[in-house]
Amino acid sequence: MSAYALGPLLHEGKAKRVHATDRPDLVAVEYKDDATAFNALKKAQLAGKGWLNCQISALLFEQLASRGIPTHYRGLGQGEHAGHWMLVRPVRIIPIEVVIRNRAAGSLCRQMPISAGTPLDPPLLDLYYKDDGLGDPLLTEARLAYLGLLDGEQRTAVERLARAVNAALQDIFERVGLILVDFKIELGYTEDQQLVVADEISPDTCRLWDRGVQDASERILDKDRFRQDLGGVVEAYGQVLKRLQGVCPEPLIYR
Ligand code: UDP
């Protein structure tokens, strides 16, 4: 017998569908094969991407939990939900994308006089307002205060949690020969007001370079392969999963 029954669709995003379950403390997330970039101007179906991102996210959420970092993750789906579904705690997502950059890439290099690959120490932390219609604009102190999305204490907690996630992810990827260039996370509050890491952590949301490869295109193992039409997107994500499986235990199945 299954541990839960699927309820109605609560939300459909670009890469995932979020369903209610018959349990108030459990939400089911389905990872899709849809790939989008440039605020969904570029779209494709990449067979196997949903499965890979679900497995990679599960391994990373479990690694974070084992280091005392709270996440919404409860376990992977089973039966007809095996592979590309995960069960999570319901959270109220803060409409802010937190980006941490260990090296310069992407929008930072387009907007600032910094060349790609420049190490950033301490890592740069940027907050963006999560709104596709507005193109997820960069938040300034004044805009953040105007929107009233976080008070001072919450802001400190968000930044502290994001920097702890960065330290943990850097360590994990370092162990498998990958450079964590930058990443985006979303945070949320559980019903009991605990701040947790939510959404996903995958090559769709992280820039990852193969440490052993010098060539600037060949070393890319993340969504930049799709953004830049480099090909081999699913193969690159598969490489990330394979390496993580070498150092992480099998992910939990939710029962
Ligand atoms: N990112 C993301 N979702 C977004 C925007 C960015 O997951 O809506 C990730 C992106 O994959 C990269 C990091 O956040 O790992 C920084 O992205 P950047 O600001 O450089 O923007 P981009 O170059 O992707 O437009």
Side-chain angles (χ1 to χ4, degrees), residues 29-255:
V29 180
E30 179 188 7
Y31 283 67
K32 302 192 288 185
D33 284 342
D34 302 37
T36 62
F38 312 120
N39 205 9
L41 287 175
K42 177 171 177 162
K43 289 184 198 169
Q45 281 281 308
L46 298 175
K49 184 185 79 87
W51 183 86
L52 285 163
N53 279 351
C54 183
Q55 299 292 318
I56 292 169
S57 288
L59 291 179
L60 293 174
F61 282 136
E62 290 186 17
Q63 285 292 310
L64 294 183
S66 75
R67 291 158 195 246
I69 296 175
T71 82
H72 69 160
Y73 174 81
R74 305 279 306 262
L76 284 172
Q78 60 169 325
E80 62 189 35
H81 289 171
H84 66 291
W85 289 74
M86 69 170 55
L87 288 311
V88 305
R89 289 193 277 172
V91 294
R92 183 167 49 82
I93 294 278
I94 305 168
I96 289 178
E97 299 193 339
V98 185
V99 171
I100 294 203
R101 305 170 190 276
N102 297 307
R103 294 197 186 212
S107 69
L108 184 67
C109 299
R110 293 194 298 274
Q111 295 165 1
M112 303 291 284
I114 308 178
S115 53
T118 305
L120 302 164
D121 190 16
L124 207 67
L125 187 152
D126 285 325
L127 302 180
Y128 295 84
Y129 183 50
K130 185 175 154 61
D131 185 317
D132 283 340
L134 298 174
D136 298 339
L138 182 64
L139 283 165
T140 61
E141 289 292 336
R143 292 178 189 191
L144 188 64
Y146 177 82
L147 293 174
L149 295 173
L150 297 172
D151 64 27
E153 211 172 291
Q154 291 169 327
R155 167 85 183 274
T156 304
V158 162
E159 296 204 358
R160 189 174 295 147
L161 186 52
R163 291 202 185 272
V165 170
N166 185 41
L169 293 180
Q170 272 190 304
D171 179 57
I172 296 159
F173 286 124
E174 172 82 40
R175 279 159 53 203
V176 298
L178 297 175
I179 298 171
L180 177 63
V181 174
D182 62 23
F183 65 95
K184 180 266 303 186
I185 49 171
E186 296 180 26
L187 305 176
Y189 292 103
T190 58
E191 202 184 11
D192 55 359
Q193 303 309 315
Q194 187 188 14
L195 181 66
V196 299
V197 183
D199 191 49
E200 72 176 284
I201 306 177
S202 74
D204 269 6
T205 62
C206 301
R207 284 195 170 90
L208 298 165
W209 293 349
D210 189 341
R211 186 176 288 285
V213 176
Q214 290 309 310
D215 183 89
S217 298
E218 276 178 33
R219 67 184 174 186
I220 296 173
L221 294 176
D222 57 66
K223 191 161 131 180
D224 273 349
R225 298 206 72 82
F226 176 66
R227 294 188 187 98
Q228 299 174 26
D229 289 321
L230 297 174
V233 182
V234 171
E235 292 75 8
Y237 287 32
Q239 182 61 230
V240 173
L241 176 61
K242 199 171 141 200
R243 292 199 196 187
L244 288 173
Q245 283 170 331
V247 298
C248 298
E250 279 275 297
L252 291 171
I253 304 293
Y254 182 85
R255 294 178 206 282

